Structures are given as structure tokens and as C-alpha cells.
Amino acid sequence: MNNKVVNFIKNFSYALSSNLVTLLISTLIVLIVPKLIGVEEYGYFQLYIFYSSYVGFLHFGWNDGIYLRYGGKEYKDLNKKLFFSQFVMLGIFQFIIAGIIFFLSFYYIQDSNKIFIIQMTSLCLLFVNIRYMLLYILQATNRIKDYARSTMIDKIIYCCLVIITLLVGIRDYKLLVVSDLVGKVISLLFAIYYCKDIVFHNIKSFYFSISETAKNISVGIKLMFANIASMLILGVVRFGIERSWDVSTFGKVSLTLSVSNLMMLFINAVGIIMFPILRRTDKEKFPSLYILMRDFLMVLLLGVLIIYFPSKFILSQWLTSYKESLNYMALLFPMFVFEGKTALLINTFLKTLRKEKLMLKINLISLMLSLLISIITTLVLRNLDLAVLSIVILLAFRCVLAEIMLSKVLGISTHKNIFLELIVTLVFIVVGWFMNSLSGVVIYTITYILYLLIKRKDIIGTIKNIKVLMKV
């Protein structure tokens, strides 16, 4: 193997180990917490998770700009004094925003539980956005080992605190929220340690690097808005469910989403390391590299759908209070197929090609469609089944639209593959929703085998190309 392949495998192993730990912990939380704390308490906890997932947008693209502008560079070549000034300025800015949100919650919210959730979300905002700058620097400069350790400690601390809380008999969601914040603070401290030559400088080294800030925000804000629109595609539907049904229903649907999203952790392990590698790759190789990665990924993702059938049975026996809502897994489980391809392949290539405007356009179109469908399903029809189904339809629409546009940029054709994958996914949803587990797994397995037979030439070619790349 050549050095590039060896380094890729090393970085992948670091990212994968971090995500495996996160997957294990997330699985434990998904399986244990909703069973022990009650449906309503779990609903409030999910509300905090929902709100806190948006705090990353309140740095207004500052961190995204750093990630895009410095992606692919060596850490040792960075201007440490410049980044020290950026770190201090971002910290002050985030402290002001967090303080405003914290104190405004007293005046504009009546529900004491929601006041607590908003205030904890404001603290999350402060810790997370400061940490993001350091993590993005580590990720952009390919220091994946340090990035992985810093992110892994967050989940380990969180899990330990949650287990202790539950073992001593406490069933209050507020302590779960505090546990999440403690994990993020300790993770921030680890990130500071790994970037200590950036964070710790004589205060005389600080200067208001306004031009650098403006460059980072002007570059990153397009990607940030694209990410906001991306999250709101799903968020609008969830918000509609929260408003039209009670917090218990919101919690049940959120549980199903959490289970369906577990596979994204594996995909993110590869996505983390692909961006800096692609930034150092000749763009003429992008079309062939995209096809190779695409064929490999889709065979894997469509195959993983098979585990839905035993997973649903096991979860239904364990989480009896959520048995009815787990039926929605048939509709939501294919989420990771479309989200995985979008996150790992399409968005990574678009970011490398600096097509943030195109990403924003795609996500805004999808968001407008999400808003329209959410109004119809949650407010007009008040049909929870259709609201949940719309999630996977919207993600599929965004994925297909984005791949068609990227294919034009790369000068390749993927229409036949897209159509074939949609057919396989549709078969999965139909058999998962209308049939029992045994009949469903048999029919979907036959469908998947037919897919492999149709794609056999492409799969053989992909395996040969991977072997060649490992020897070059």
C-alpha cells in the first residue's frame, strides 16, 4: 500500500473508533433513557436536543469559513497569532449572544420547562460554537486523531453521567440535559489542549482581525445558510408535529428518528476525512473518484436496510410504550440512505469544488417544499402518518436534485442509478409498512439481490479500481 492509503486507513480508523463509541452510547441512550424516564420527560429532553441542534448557526458562518478556506492545509503552516485573535473574538461574540438568549427567556416564555430548555440551549451555544472553531481547524488540517479524541470524550462523559443519574433513581430530564452540557465542556477543554498553541498566547498578541473575520463569514455564511436550510427540511416537519400534537407524540417520533439516524455515525466517520483529502486531489480525477465512491457506498447502504426487520422486532419488545410509534421506522429507516449519500458524497464534493451557492439553492428549494408539505400534513390534514412519510420523501427529493446538479458539474450521468435506487427504497418502505417482519425481510432480500445482479459489472469494476488505487 502507498503512504496515502496507509494515512487514509489510519485516519479512518480514528474517526471510525470515535463514531463507534458515539454509536454505542447513542444506542444505549435510545434504548434505556426512554424506557426509564417516561414519555413526557423524554419529550422535553428531545425538545432540548432539537433546539440545541441549531445553535451552530449562531456563529453566522465564521467557523464554516475557516473550514472552507483552510481545508487541506498543514496545521504547522497556520498563522497561530491570527487564529488566537479569531478565537478570542468568536468567544466574546458567542458570550454576548448566549447572554441575550438566556435573559430574554424570562420575559417571553411562560412554561417553566421551556424556560429551562432555552437557557440550557444558550449555554450549549456558548460551549459548542467555541469548540467548533477548534474542531474545524483539526478536521480541516487532517488532524483526525485529535479531532476524534475530542469528540469521543464528549459522549463518554455524557453516557457515564446519564448512567449514574439513572442508577441512583433520578428520573428528571433536567439532569440529562446538564449531563450533555458537562460532556461538551470537557470536550471543549480537550480541543483547547490539542490547539493550545492557538488558544494560549500573550494577550499582547491579540488584535481585532476584522478583515479575516469578514473573509471567513463571507465565505462561510453561504455554507451556513445551506446547512440551516438542510436542517430545517427535517426541522419544519418536526416543528409542525410538536405544534399539532403533544410533547409525548413529539418524543415518540423523535425516538424513531434517533434510531433511523444511528447509521449516519458510520457515514460521518468517512465524511470527516474526505474533505481535506479531496482538497489535495487533482480535480480532473473527481468524476471517476465520485463514481467509484458512489457505487461502493450505495451497495453498502441499501444492504444495511435489511437490519431494519430484526431491529424493529427487538425494539418493540424492549420499548413497549413506544411500540406503536416504532411502526414509523419502516418510513424513516431509509433516511440514512439519502442523507448518507448527500452528506458523504454530494456535499463533500460540492464543498471541495466551492459550490456553496449551489448547495444553498438546492436546500432552499427543498425547504420551501418542506414548508408546503408540513402545512398540508400537520395543520390542514393533521395526519401524522403522512407527516412522517414526508420526511423521507423530502430527503429523497433533496438528494436526487443535488446529485443531478453535481453530475452536471462533474460531466457524468447518474440518472439510471438514481432511478434504480429509488425503486429498491420504495420496495423496502412498502414491505416494511404493510408486511410482517418475516415476509418483509424475504421480499426485500430478493429485491436487493436483484439490484446486485443488475449492478454486478459496476461492482466488479469498483473492486478492481480500489485494488489499483491501493497499489499506486
Side-chain angles (χ1 to χ4, degrees):
M1 291 187 200
N2 62 27
N3 290 331
K4 287 184 178 179
V5 174
V6 172
N7 288 332
F8 178 87
I9 293 172
K10 282 183 179 179
N11 285 335
F12 178 70
S13 67
Y14 297 141
L16 183 61
S17 62
S18 171
N19 281 274
L20 280 172
V21 170
T22 304
L23 175 62
L24 177 62
I25 291 169
S26 298
T27 303
L28 287 172
I29 298 300
V30 166
L31 291 176
I32 295 173
V33 171
K35 186 176 180 66
L36 295 181
I37 71 170
V39 175
E40 187 173 351
E41 290 281 314
Y42 185 70
Y44 281 119
F45 176 61
Q46 280 296 325
L47 205 55
Y48 161 77
I49 299 296
F50 179 47
Y51 289 162
S52 63
S53 65
Y54 291 93
V55 300
F57 302 125
L58 289 174
H59 55 71
F60 299 103
W62 200 330
N63 292 333
D64 297 296
I66 290 172
Y67 179 69
L68 288 172
R69 292 181 64 219
Y70 294 93
K73 294 189 179 295
E74 297 291 340
Y75 183 82
K76 60 183 174 61
D77 296 331
L78 299 179
N79 184 339
K80 303 302 192 299
K81 290 184 178 179
L82 174 64
F83 277 93
F84 166 69
S85 298
Q86 287 287 290
F87 180 78
V88 173
M89 289 172 66
L90 178 71
I92 295 170
F93 182 53
Q94 293 303 297
F95 183 81
I96 293 170
I97 293 177
I100 292 171
I101 294 172
F102 188 94
F103 289 108
L104 284 180
S105 65
F106 286 113
Y107 297 99
Y108 293 101
I109 301 174
Q110 305 301 320
D111 187 332
S112 60
N113 284 305
K114 290 193 175 181
I115 290 175
F116 173 81
I117 289 169
I118 293 296
Q119 290 180 344
M120 294 304 101
T121 302
S122 69
L123 293 178
C124 179
L125 179 156
L126 179 63
F127 303 138
V128 166
N129 286 348
I130 294 174
R131 183 184 66 162
Y132 271 163
M133 175 179 280
L134 303 177
L135 292 182
Y136 277 15
I137 291 170
L138 293 173
Q139 188 178 335
T141 55
N142 216 25
R143 288 181 60 187
I144 305 300
K145 184 178 181 180
D146 296 332
Y147 170 88
R149 286 175 174 174
S150 184
T151 52
M152 188 161 43
I153 196 67
D154 174 6
K155 295 299 181 183
I156 292 174
I157 296 296
Y158 168 54
C159 182
C160 291
L161 291 175
V162 168
I163 290 172
I164 292 170
T165 299
L166 295 175
L167 285 177
V168 298
I170 299 172
R171 300 293 183 263
D172 190 345
Y173 80 92
K174 291 180 180 179
L175 284 177
L176 301 182
V177 172
V178 172
S179 299
D180 179 68
L181 289 175
V182 171
K184 286 178 167 56
V185 170
I186 294 175
S187 174
L188 170 61
L189 295 176
F190 268 73
I192 288 172
Y193 172 76
Y194 291 128
C195 298
K196 54 184 177 293
D197 51 348
I198 287 176
V199 177
F200 299 110
H201 272 272
N202 191 312
I203 195 64
K204 293 180 181 178
S205 302
F206 172 77
Y207 62 96
F208 283 98
S209 47
I210 303 299
S211 61
E212 175 71 10
T213 301
K215 288 178 184 176
N216 288 329
I217 291 177
S218 64
V219 168
I221 199 162
K222 291 187 286 289
L223 178 59
M224 185 202 74
F225 279 127
N227 289 334
I228 289 176
S230 175
M231 291 185 70
L232 285 175
I233 294 168
L234 177 57
V236 164
V237 181
R238 292 184 70 188
F239 185 78
I241 292 172
E242 190 234 338
R243 290 297 171 187
S244 298
W245 288 274
D246 57 25
V247 72
S248 298
T249 302
F250 177 82
K252 288 178 179 180
V253 173
S254 295
L255 171 67
T256 310
L257 284 168
S258 298
V259 173
S260 302
N261 268 326
L262 288 176
M263 274 305 300
M264 283 300 297
L265 296 171
F266 286 101
I267 295 161
N268 289 335
V270 183
I272 287 167
I273 59 179
M274 282 309 302
F275 178 71
I277 290 174
L278 286 176
R279 284 296 295 265
R280 299 171 185 175
T281 303
D282 185 354
K283 291 184 179 180
E284 292 181 359
K285 298 178 181 178
F286 279 11
S288 58
L289 188 59
Y290 179 82
I291 293 171
L292 186 152
M293 291 176 63
R294 188 194 190 288
D295 287 338
F296 178 80
L297 180 67
M298 293 313 297
V299 168
L300 177 65
L301 293 181
L302 291 174
V304 171
L305 284 176
I306 294 172
I307 70 171
Y308 154 78
F309 298 98
S311 298
K312 183 196 171 186
F313 175 77
I314 294 169
L315 287 171
S316 296
Q317 300 303 309
W318 175 251
L319 299 172
T320 53
S321 299
Y322 296 82
K323 193 170 184 178
E324 184 180 344
S325 63
L326 286 171
N327 291 328
Y328 292 125
M329 277 182 65
L331 307 180
L332 294 176
F333 207 66
M335 278 175 54
F336 73 82
V337 173
F338 302 112
E339 281 287 79
K341 184 164 63 169
T342 302
L344 173 56
L345 279 180
I346 301 168
N347 284 351
T348 303
F349 274 85
L350 287 173
K351 284 188 283 189
T352 305
L353 293 165
R354 296 302 307 275
K355 298 290 184 181
E356 301 93 51
K357 286 184 179 179
L358 182 57
M359 287 178 64
L360 177 57
K361 180 181 178 181
I362 293 164
N363 289 337
L364 284 176
I365 292 171
S366 304
L367 176 57
M368 292 301 103
L369 183 62
S370 174
L371 187 61
L372 176 63
I373 291 177
S374 296
I375 291 171
I376 294 171
T377 57
T378 65
L379 297 179
V380 179
L381 300 177
R382 288 185 62 83
N383 188 311
L384 188 59
D385 293 354
L386 289 178
V388 173
L389 178 62
S390 71
I391 292 173
V392 74
I393 291 173
L394 289 164
L395 295 178
F397 172 82
R398 193 266 302 268
C399 178
V400 171
L401 178 63
E403 185 164 25
I404 290 172
M405 290 189 174
L406 176 60
S407 297
K408 290 180 180 178
V409 175
L410 294 176
I412 58 176
S413 176
T414 57
H415 292 77
K416 290 182 180 179
N417 286 324
I418 291 172
F419 178 74
L420 183 60
E421 290 150 12
L422 288 174
I423 292 296
V424 174
T425 307
L426 181 61
V427 170
F428 170 84
I429 291 173
V430 171
V431 299
W433 184 255
F434 292 105
M435 297 184 181
N436 60 48
S437 294
L438 183 59
S439 301
V441 73
V442 170
I443 294 174
Y444 182 73
T445 301
I446 293 171
T447 304
Y448 181 64
I449 292 171
L450 289 173
Y451 167 78
L452 294 178
L453 290 173
I454 295 170
K455 291 281 295 178
R456 63 187 182 279
K457 290 183 180 179
D458 293 334
I459 294 169
I460 293 169
T462 297
I463 293 170
K464 287 180 179 178
N465 287 331
I466 290 173
K467 288 180 179 178
V468 171
L469 284 173
M470 292 177 72
K471 292 177 182 179
V472 175

